[in-house]
Amino acid sequence: MSTAKQPLRLTSTGLVLIPIAVASVMSAALVMVVSFSDDLAIASPGALLISAILVYAAVLFFLGRSGIASIRGLEARAITDPLTGLSNRHALHEDILFAARGEEEVALAMIDLDSFKQVNDHYGHAVGDQLIEECAKLIRAVCGKEAQCYRLGGDEFAMVMSGKVAGTILEGICRTLIEKLGTPIALGHRQIAVGASIGLTRSTADLRVPSSEMLRRADVAMDMSKRGGKMRCTWFNESFDRRRERVREIEDEIRTAIAGGEFNVAYQPLVSAEDKRIVAVEALLRWDRGTRDPLGPNIFIPVAEESGLINPLGLWVLRQAVCDARRWGDITLSVNISAAQLRNAEFPIKLGEVLEETGFPPHRLELEVTETCLVLDPVVAERTLDVIRSFGVRIALDDFGTGYASIGFLRRFRFEKLKLDRSLVELAGVDDGSRAMMLSSIALARALNMGVTAEGVETEEQAELVRLAGCDQIQGWLYYKALPAAEIDRLIAEQSLSSAQVAGPAHGDEQAA
């Protein structure tokens, strides 16, 4: 059985000693040749030997000096981040390995800057590099002499501590860092706000964890910090791994479901606050999982967004919904779009293709976005919405009352409709402050020429309240739940027949008069 030859690996010492050894052998060979050859007698053997020793000594000195300096420079570059001067990922692994040899606790924090991609996109990579440098200085200052800090690459940093209560102290340092990042960082004439999501993990003498596994755990915990709202610290928990495994399973199931046609679209009617007639329907995605445990949109849609599957899935919903809604006369169709779709540069193009292929009137289509979709990347969102509006499609702000939308925010995005969140509607019936908030929201929408829809209306009292407050449309289980397309066909047909019967006698009376 043959074995592959292992490549020769030299240490830094070997890289210095081998050239010196080669110089020594060459010098000795030269001396021997001259000494034992009558034809090459240039000088006396003694003088030649002294000259050879001097040359050899000089070669040794300069070669050794330059070699050692070069090796030290290479070693420094191998463990140092060139932009910030902090130690890099390789050094982090080495330091964790060294610290783990003792009996003390080793704690690791992984830091990811929030909204750094937006800074790069808006201001360019040069400003992004400046921001990285400033953040590195801040992290170095916060660590002081208590912890070591590293740049792992991109907008990721790390901190390591060892000691009896290393984890507790490191968590305190992380919270200090988050507090300091609450203040915008000055870069020239700019004030740039950037936060941090931090994941923490530890390795103890009783249960040592390899450095690569510590990094993975810290990364998982950091991801949970981002999901929890950013600007926070989260310690790794074993349940995080179980959750991630379940998310991967759902992701695989979504792919299979798309290919197998397991998804369908239901429609919840919206009624006019004036006469309770159906004036619009909202398309809602449903997943027919057969005998498997049911999964609601609140579970599988975030997974689809994170994995990128929301793009093909959302496009399928849009196409199916406009195909169904073509049968429903002048009824408005509302379709929800996610933050991932807004960030996708191809979404407006695909939307235009769907409208053109189906012949659906753009003025009957209304796309619903949430405040979260817009604040993640407002510049890109505004540009995308402008393109969508150029088709004649309207934009509605969904779940209003759950975020922090300001007057400037509403004026910037120029929504055609405001949808009051169900929580605001529910509380308005029992709480004076919430009622005042709802009334002021409706007044603001009116001032900005927006229509207003109340969501989640379940009682006659709530319906009367929002009607008197000035809402145009009402949506909720009081009137209709989400229904299949065939049921909407029936309801629209009944409504059209009722309208014709009412109009018939009235028209006859006019003719008689």
Side-chain angles (χ1 to χ4, degrees), residues 49 102 117 137 210 231 256 304 307 338 346 440 467 477:
L49 183 60
K117 181 181 181 298
K137 292 177 184 177
M231 288 292 281
T256 303
S307 63
S338 70
E346 293 187 359
S440 62
R467 187 179 297 112
W477 283 10

Side-chain angles (χ1 to χ4, degrees), residues 16 19-27 51-67:
V16 175
I20 293 176
V22 171
S24 302
V25 171
M26 292 179 64
S27 299
S51 298
I53 292 173
L54 290 175
V55 170
Y56 175 64
V59 169
L60 279 182
F61 176 76
F62 288 109
L63 184 59
R65 182 179 178 183
S66 61

Side-chain angles (χ1 to χ4, degrees), residues 18 39 47 55 75 78 106 111 116 136 166 171 196 213 227 340 385 390-391 421 446 457 477 496 500 510:
I18 287 177
D39 296 332
V55 170
E75 287 182 333
V106 180
I111 306 157
F116 178 74
E171 182 180 353
E213 175 62 12
R227 292 175 180 275
L385 294 182
S390 69
F391 299 150
D421 186 70
R446 293 297 182 206
V457 175
W477 283 10
S496 299
E510 289 177 2

Side-chain angles (χ1 to χ4, degrees), residues 115-133:
S115 306
F116 178 74
K117 181 181 181 298
Q118 284 74 17
V119 174
N120 265 345
D121 291 344
H122 299 165
Y123 303 112
H125 289 275
V127 174
D129 286 348
Q130 293 177 29
L131 180 61
I132 289 293
E133 291 182 84

Side-chain angles (χ1 to χ4, degrees), residues 267 269 278 327-328 482-494:
Y267 301 90
I278 297 175
R327 308 190 298 267
W328 301 333
L483 301 168
E487 279 296 300
I488 302 297
D489 289 339
R490 183 184 62 80
L491 290 173
I492 298 299
E494 291 177 355

Side-chain angles (χ1 to χ4, degrees), residues 156-223:
E156 287 188 345
F157 296 84
M159 291 186 248
V160 169
M161 266 196 77
S162 61
K164 293 182 179 179
V165 288
T168 303
I169 298 174
L170 189 60
E171 182 180 353
I173 292 173
C174 291
R175 296 194 183 280
T176 300
L177 174 63
I178 289 175
E179 182 180 345
K180 289 186 177 296
L181 285 174
T183 303
I185 295 176
L187 292 180
H189 63 281
R190 300 184 179 93
Q191 294 288 326
I192 298 181
V194 62
S197 298
I198 303 177
L200 292 137
T201 188
R202 55 165 57 93
S203 172
T204 62
D206 296 334
L207 184 61
R208 281 298 177 208
V209 180
S211 60
S212 58
E213 175 62 12
M214 287 188 72
L215 272 173
R216 189 196 68 81
R217 293 184 177 187
D219 184 61
V220 170
M222 180 266 293
D223 182 62

Side-chain angles (χ1 to χ4, degrees), residues 377-392:
D377 199 337
V379 174
V380 172
E382 186 175 18
R383 186 165 58 241
T384 301
L385 294 182
D386 284 343
V387 175
I388 292 172
R389 278 198 181 91
S390 69
F391 299 150

